[in-house]
Amino acid sequence: MGHRAPPKEGLPWPRVQWCATGPLSTFPLFATGHHDGSGRAVIDRVVSSEAPTLRILAESARPAVPNGRAAALLAVSVPTPFDRTDVLRGVREEIAAVTEAAPVTVTTLAGSEATRGSLLSGLGTYAWFHFAGHGARGLTAPTDTALSAFDGPVTLADLAALRIGGGGLAYLSACHGADAHDRHPAEALHLAAAVHLAGFRHVIAARHELDDRVATRTATAGSQQFPPKKQR
């Protein structure tokens, strides 16, 4: 593609959209290279994004259609869901940082407020979505892959069935957000793809397991890139 060195200072970074197929879809193409400070890694040369399918890539390039969504952020934290006993201690700090920095109105759902029903209804109401909690892979069927709400799973099938359009950015701070299923590596069967299908044009998600402390630091650092709030 001709990107043989980091971009010169002051110039915009090139953007590459990866759309892998088959078993290659499980491989982190955006992280390949020599991570030794020599500038020979993909991350040193371009800004990467992934598209589960060419259809989703084409749809994300179209002008946004509001579709009745509020220009606001739904921020959800579930430190201990229905099926877990371990506590994600960083999610409250993460949501607090995102809420403080967000340049739009924020609605928060925390703990017992973050039910399966409230998440599914909120996904069709708000233009932006941030989830901090557990993600679980479907062991027998990929459609059972889920975000863990307080009272039940919000599965890949639940998300893909919404098809409501008009969303902007969704941030999934959870394990297995962009994991292709072992039995169906050629298919776009992961949470990020399902949220795309639900109508969000852009999704940030993690492959594999995500450490609670790393998730908090990453989201907090990312929230600092929001434009400053306007003073009244």
Side-chain angles (χ1 to χ4, degrees):
M1 291 181 282
H3 306 305
R4 301 184 180 278
K8 294 182 180 180
E9 187 175 353
L11 294 179
W13 280 62
R15 185 72 175 263
V16 174
Q17 296 273 6
W18 302 96
C19 188
T21 59
L24 195 60
S25 62
T26 65
F27 193 76
L29 295 169
F30 53 86
T32 54
H34 301 272
H35 296 271
D36 55 6
S38 64
R40 295 183 296 157
V42 171
I43 198 172
D44 295 323
R45 302 181 183 185
V46 299
V47 176
S48 293
S49 296
E50 290 187 301
T53 66
L54 290 177
R55 175 185 173 186
I56 289 177
L57 176 60
E59 289 180 352
S60 68
R62 294 174 182 172
V65 179
N67 199 32
R69 290 178 185 260
L73 169 68
L74 177 64
V76 178
S77 64
V78 190
T80 309
F82 71 103
D83 59 346
R84 304 289 289 261
T85 56
D86 54 318
V87 180
L88 294 177
R89 302 189 183 280
V91 299
R92 292 187 178 91
E93 178 185 344
E94 178 176 331
I95 293 300
V98 171
T99 300
E100 174 64 24
V104 296
T105 301
V106 181
T107 297
T108 59
L109 296 174
S112 60
E113 299 174 327
T115 63
R116 184 175 179 275
S118 63
L119 263 68
L120 288 171
S121 62
L123 283 167
T125 305
Y126 294 85
W128 296 282
F129 174 59
H130 188 110
F131 178 88
H134 283 290
R137 294 187 68 186
L139 297 179
T140 56
T143 51
D144 292 336
T145 298
L147 297 174
S148 295
F150 181 76
D151 60 345
V154 178
T155 67
L156 186 151
D158 293 330
L159 294 167
L162 291 175
R163 298 294 182 95
I164 40 189
L169 173 67
Y171 190 110
L172 307 182
S173 187
C175 294
H176 307 297
D179 262 355
H181 199 271
D182 293 340
R183 297 185 182 181
H184 305 278
E187 302 294 332
L189 296 174
H190 51 67
L191 291 167
V195 172
H196 264 305
L197 288 173
F200 286 87
R201 291 159 56 82
H202 308 287
V203 183
I204 295 174
R207 289 176 179 266
H208 310 301
E209 295 184 352
L210 181 63
D211 182 89
D212 184 31
R213 294 163 297 179
V214 173
T216 301
R217 289 198 301 267
T218 302
T220 300
S223 67
Q224 294 170 358
Q225 305 306 310
F226 283 129
K229 293 183 178 180
K230 294 181 179 179
Q231 299 296 320
R232 291 186 179 180

